[in-house]
Amino acid sequence: MKVNIAYPATGAQKSFEIEDQRKLNIFYEKTLASEIKGDALGDEFKGYIFKITGGNDKQGFPMKQGVLAPGRVRLLLSKGHSCYRPRRTGERKRKSVRGCIVGNDLSAISLVVVKQGEEDIPDLTDKQIPKRLGPKRANKIRKLFNLGKEDDVRQYVIRRELPAKEGKKLRTKAPKIQRLITPLRLQRKRALRAAKRHAAENQREAAAEYAKLLSLRLKEKKEKKHAAHVQRRLSSQRKSTIN
């Protein structure tokens, strides 16, 4: 079985091929996100603690968290589920995935170092891989360089060098800073607040005007009704006097 180990502290990864079945017994019947001790894998892993993060069987079907089965099952998956990427809006598909319980039919398993042991593992814990990209959000750049609110974040953005071409100048690329507060952004916020305030004032004025017009119409209707009532009484009185 191939064992892929990642060490987030350095960003390094390394694969090991383990054929000894006795060493692999510590993985069996364990589920995803379980922590295991690395002492049984060999002396070089003494003191290490690993967490199982994934794996796939010999046909390439991935393990899925939450499926409590040691084998393969077919599930109806939609957007938001792991092990599936919809091609169309609202699409659902029945796909084969493997359960989250480790069995002997796996061909590869992925681990993450939770606790480092006594000795370094060559090409895993003894080397540092620099991050390819720096932070993009303004507050994260401030946190990285310990900046204050008066400092200009744009001067501290991390630029990435592009592959150089023959006879051409070296080019760099920087991300567009997100959530950057600029004078234009403040102007837009003021305009939005003013538009909201004007809309509320216009709504209040329109409601008051409508209430005034409604009261006027009700008053007219009431007067008209009263006049009709008076007219009916007068006509009935005339008829009674004639008789």
Side-chain angles (χ1 to χ4, degrees), residues 93-200:
K93 206 168 189 178
R94 193 170 295 278
K95 294 186 74 70
S96 293
V97 293
R98 210 196 164 280
C100 65
I101 300 174
V102 180
N104 56 2
D105 59 337
L106 290 182
S107 64
I109 190 168
S110 301
L111 307 176
V112 167
V113 177
V114 176
K115 180 185 175 185
Q116 190 175 355
E118 302 170 358
E119 298 179 359
D120 284 333
I121 301 173
D123 295 330
L124 184 65
T125 59
D126 58 352
K127 72 173 183 179
Q128 184 79 28
I129 296 179
K131 287 186 177 180
R132 178 175 167 270
L133 302 175
K136 190 175 181 181
R137 194 181 298 174
N139 281 341
K140 292 192 175 180
I141 298 174
R142 288 192 185 97
K143 185 179 178 181
L144 180 64
F145 294 102
N146 198 17
L147 303 176
K149 289 198 172 182
E150 64 279 355
D151 296 317
D152 190 4
V153 181
R154 292 171 292 184
Q155 304 298 324
Y156 294 88
V157 66
I158 298 174
R159 304 189 71 87
R160 177 171 61 91
E161 292 184 359
L162 297 175
K165 295 182 180 179
E166 291 184 7
K168 291 199 174 181
K169 188 179 175 183
L170 183 67
R171 292 172 61 228
T172 59
K173 200 172 184 180
K176 181 183 178 183
I177 303 173
Q178 302 295 314
R179 303 187 188 181
L180 184 64
I181 305 299
T182 59
L184 183 61
R185 172 65 181 151
L186 295 174
Q187 180 183 346
R188 284 177 181 161
K189 285 184 79 173
R190 286 195 298 270
L192 285 171
R193 280 199 295 267
K196 197 173 180 180
R197 190 168 57 249
H198 292 327

